[in-house]
């Protein structure tokens, strides 16, 4: 048996199209244009690519994009002053500070300086707490994208056994909270988990977010399970550069019921959900109804 492929590229295009429709209506009916500010400190090449893609896709859905590129030696005081200005700017509905920051900057301090209502990454401690207590939060983009794809595939997730491999603040922990809120029985597994293979084999939903290339082989996958592979790992094989996930795709696709490929699975959903979050933040800021199907 070969699993159904969950096409994240097509799914993300659909999310962006929905966002664009809402943005058009906001302009026509409310005279409002959602705005996203992205702050990049330093010249990390991978971050520069992300930021360029974010800016391009923000404009494509009709939103305003504000890019702030700061030198690598920017002081914490200067960065905090920029965040304070963006917090106060009514044209800015979402603020994203690209991570990782250079080592001399305290990421927690910087992220927690963002107005939680504009924290479209969902990293501010207020949003983490709101999500953990089942209140209305801004939700981290990658887990939100995974949740959207899971809901689309399964309908209800209620009662399913979900195993999240990885305990990062950006993916693993918020993913577990979202699955719990959708009434899954959730296990968070990690590098110290005993008999990880057996834990994974109990999963109806297996989310891999560890950042280790092809760590999870097909024989750890329960037949018929849904596998969401968050990993994006660059490797070299047979002299060729390749992108692979945290799951060994070739063996897992033979066992799973559905699986996200790498590339073209979860990856494209992150920016699409960032745009959805910016739209949501704009609607909330103006007391307007939230876009249906684009929030947790
Ligand atoms: N760096 C890599 N991914 C992300 C992300 O989703 N948000 C931020 N702020 N930085 C990142």
């Amino acid at each position: 048996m070969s699993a159904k492929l969950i096409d994240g590229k097509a799914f993300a295009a659909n999310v962006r199209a929905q966002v664009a429709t809402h943005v058009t209506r906001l302009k026509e009916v409310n005279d409002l244009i959602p705005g996203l500010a992205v702050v990049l400190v330093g010249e990390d090449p991978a971050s520069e690519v992300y930021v360029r893609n974010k800016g391009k896709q923000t404009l494509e859905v009709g939103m305003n994009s504000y890019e702030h590129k700061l030198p690598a030696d920017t002081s914490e005081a200067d960065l905090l002053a920029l965040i304070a200005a963006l917090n106060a700017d009514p044209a800015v509905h979402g603020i994203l500070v690209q991570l990782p920051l250079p080592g001399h900057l305290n990421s927690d301090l910087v992220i927690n300086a963002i107005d939680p209502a504009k924290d479209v990454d969902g990293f501010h401690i207020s949003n983490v707490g709101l999500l953990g207590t089942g209140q209305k939060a801004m939700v981290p983009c990658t887990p939100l994208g995974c949740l959207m794809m899971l809901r689309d595939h399964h309908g209800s997730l209620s009662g399913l056994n979900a195993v999240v491999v990885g305990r990062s603040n950006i993916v693993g922990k918020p993913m577990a909270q979202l699955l719990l809120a959708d009434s899954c029985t959730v296990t968070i597994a990690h590098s110290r988990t005993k008999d990880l293979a057996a834990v994974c084999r109990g999963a109806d939903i297996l989310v891999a977010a560890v950042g280790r290339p092809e760590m999870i082989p097909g024989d750890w996958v329960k037949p018929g399970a849904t596998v969401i592979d968050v990993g994006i790992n660059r490797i070299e094989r047979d002299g060729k550069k390749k992108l692979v996930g945290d799951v060994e795709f070739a063996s897992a696709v033979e066992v799973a019921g559905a699986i996200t490929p790498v590339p073209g699975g979860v990856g494209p959903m992150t920016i699409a959900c960032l745009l959805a979050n910016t739209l949501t933040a704009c609607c909330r800021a103006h007391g307007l109804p939230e876009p249906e199907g684009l929030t947790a």
Side-chain angles (χ1 to χ4, degrees), residues 142-211:
T142 301
L144 177 59
C146 296
L147 182 74
M148 284 182 188
M149 293 194 288
L150 284 167
R151 283 178 176 168
D152 181 71
H153 180 69
H154 284 273
S156 169
L157 307 183
S158 181
L160 296 176
N161 284 333
V163 174
V164 179
V165 188
R167 52 177 157 175
S168 71
N169 291 336
I170 294 181
V171 183
K173 286 180 201 161
M175 186 76 251
Q177 292 289 2
L178 288 170
L179 291 165
L180 188 59
D182 266 30
S183 302
C184 290
T185 303
V186 182
T187 304
I188 304 179
H190 47 80
S191 56
R192 302 289 178 90
T193 297
K194 284 186 190 152
D195 201 351
L196 184 56
V199 173
C200 290
R201 285 186 194 115
D204 302 309
I205 292 171
L206 181 60
V207 180
V210 269

Side-chain angles (χ1 to χ4, degrees), residues 50 96-99 121 123 270:
Y50 278 137
L96 179 145
V97 176
Q98 184 69 25
L99 300 176
D121 258 330
F123 295 165
T270 298

